[in-house]
Amino acid sequence: MPVVFRLFSVFPLWLLHALGAAMGWVAFAASPTYRRRFLANVALAGYPFGAVRAAVAHAGRMVTELPRLWLGAPMPCRLEGEACVEAAYAAGKGIVYLTPHQGCFELSAQAAARRWSAERGPITVLYRPARQAWLAKVMETARNRPGMLAVPTTLAGVRQMIKALRRGEAVGLLPDQVPPDGQGLWSPFFGRDAYTMTLAARLAQQTGAAVVLARCERLSWGRGYVTHFEPLPAPLSADMDQALLQINQAMEHLICQCPEQYLWGYARYKQPRAEAAPPAAPAPETAA
């Protein structure tokens, strides 16, 4: 498998995306559970299947582009909305980038790192190591690309994110990912309660960091990508329940801008995993 993975990393994007589109439809046809979840999530968001059917193929493209994303040459990505990122860095309290499972979401952090890390420092992202030894090694290497620092989902990793923000650097999170039990609260997402991580809100609340929304859209025929940045519409509330509602509404806003590239088959509404309680972010420092 590592050999195949490395082989795929040198394929052109148009070929990877063509293979991925076919893979996406095969998975949709072969798995009744995946298909039901996909259709249920789409209906809950208010879309007819015809409006988002392209998301079936895009789910496959997300898989087949990973070797190129992790091991291959940098993928072309245009940036839009750079002014809001510049303003956030200028405030001096760091940035919490939030992006949903949409398009090539990992590339949004890579693209931002290529643009700003030399001047503003690296982007720190959380990752959960894979169970397979070969894949865990690939992920560890790939996600620590120039301008990026991947830290594990442990107390030490959270502390590194806090320190990065206090240095005025940036961190990146996927707030629509279902966290383990004890690491989230229930909050509406497209009208239905979903277990939502609190870490993103706590990082922003405790450091005063700016929240920047990001989504990375695939262009057709392997022409590359465009990452869109925009600020959170209103300052993040100090109340956790309200802050999570703001974040979920912001994710809905991004998804609705390009619903055909959202990962509708993701089990967003599942019960949280029964794991150990989350590492709590350190409390904010107070003046003596």
Side-chain angles (χ1 to χ4, degrees):
M1 184 61 73
V3 174
V4 174
F5 207 82
R6 291 188 179 278
L7 177 63
F8 270 52
S9 72
V10 300
F11 282 11
L13 273 178
W14 67 265
L15 180 55
L16 290 173
H17 285 172
L19 293 171
M23 180 185 295
W25 278 104
V26 168
F28 187 80
S31 174
T33 300
Y34 170 67
R35 187 167 61 250
R36 283 194 299 268
R37 185 167 59 233
F38 184 106
L39 295 174
N41 289 346
V42 165
L44 189 63
Y47 290 104
F49 176 68
V52 297
R53 61 181 293 130
V56 174
H58 276 289
R61 293 182 180 112
M62 181 196 69
V63 174
T64 55
E65 71 194 2
L66 281 178
R68 173 72 184 273
L69 179 68
W70 288 353
L71 302 175
M75 300 195 292
C77 184
R78 186 175 80 251
L79 304 183
E80 293 190 357
E82 295 177 68
C84 79
V85 178
E86 294 283 3
Y89 272 125
K93 294 189 175 181
I95 296 175
V96 177
Y97 285 111
L98 300 181
T99 183
H101 286 81
Q102 182 180 32
C104 188
F105 51 86
E106 284 199 40
L107 182 56
S108 59
Q110 281 194 16
R114 292 203 300 257
R115 171 63 178 83
W116 287 288
S117 64
E119 178 185 0
R120 302 292 188 174
I123 296 178
T124 303
V125 295
L126 281 178
Y127 81 99
R128 185 182 298 276
R131 295 178 186 274
Q132 300 93 338
W134 73 268
L135 184 56
K137 182 63 176 178
V138 168
M139 289 174 63
E140 181 182 358
T141 302
R143 287 179 168 164
N144 280 299
R145 286 209 156 195
M148 293 188 64
L149 174 64
V151 298
T153 52
T154 62
L155 178 58
V158 174
R159 284 175 172 163
Q160 283 182 263
M161 298 186 93
I162 290 282
K163 290 177 181 178
L165 291 172
R166 288 178 174 160
R167 290 193 299 266
E169 297 172 1
V171 303
L173 294 163
L174 290 140
D176 62 337
Q177 183 165 335
V178 179
D181 191 19
Q183 297 191 26
L185 294 172
W186 294 94
S187 184
F189 184 70
F190 283 118
R192 178 181 172 186
D193 279 351
Y195 197 63
T196 304
M197 71 159 63
T198 58
L199 178 59
R202 286 189 284 124
L203 288 172
Q205 289 171 341
Q206 294 186 12
T207 64
V211 176
V212 173
L213 310 179
R215 66 179 182 89
C216 185
E217 181 180 350
R218 289 184 197 90
L219 302 178
S220 60
W221 301 104
R223 292 180 296 121
Y225 306 81
V226 55
T227 295
H228 306 265
F229 300 105
E230 58 183 280
L232 196 68
L236 195 66
S237 173
D239 176 78
M240 182 57 71
D241 287 334
Q242 184 60 33
L244 295 188
L245 180 60
Q246 285 180 267
I247 289 173
N248 277 351
Q249 289 175 340
M251 294 303 99
E252 292 175 14
H253 164 70
L254 293 185
I255 291 163
C256 290
Q257 292 184 54
C258 191
E260 64 273 17
Q261 293 195 21
Y262 185 59
L263 198 64
W264 292 107
Y266 179 61
R268 181 66 184 91
Y269 301 99
K270 68 181 178 181
Q271 293 290 321
R273 300 180 298 278
E275 296 182 2
E285 296 177 354
T286 56

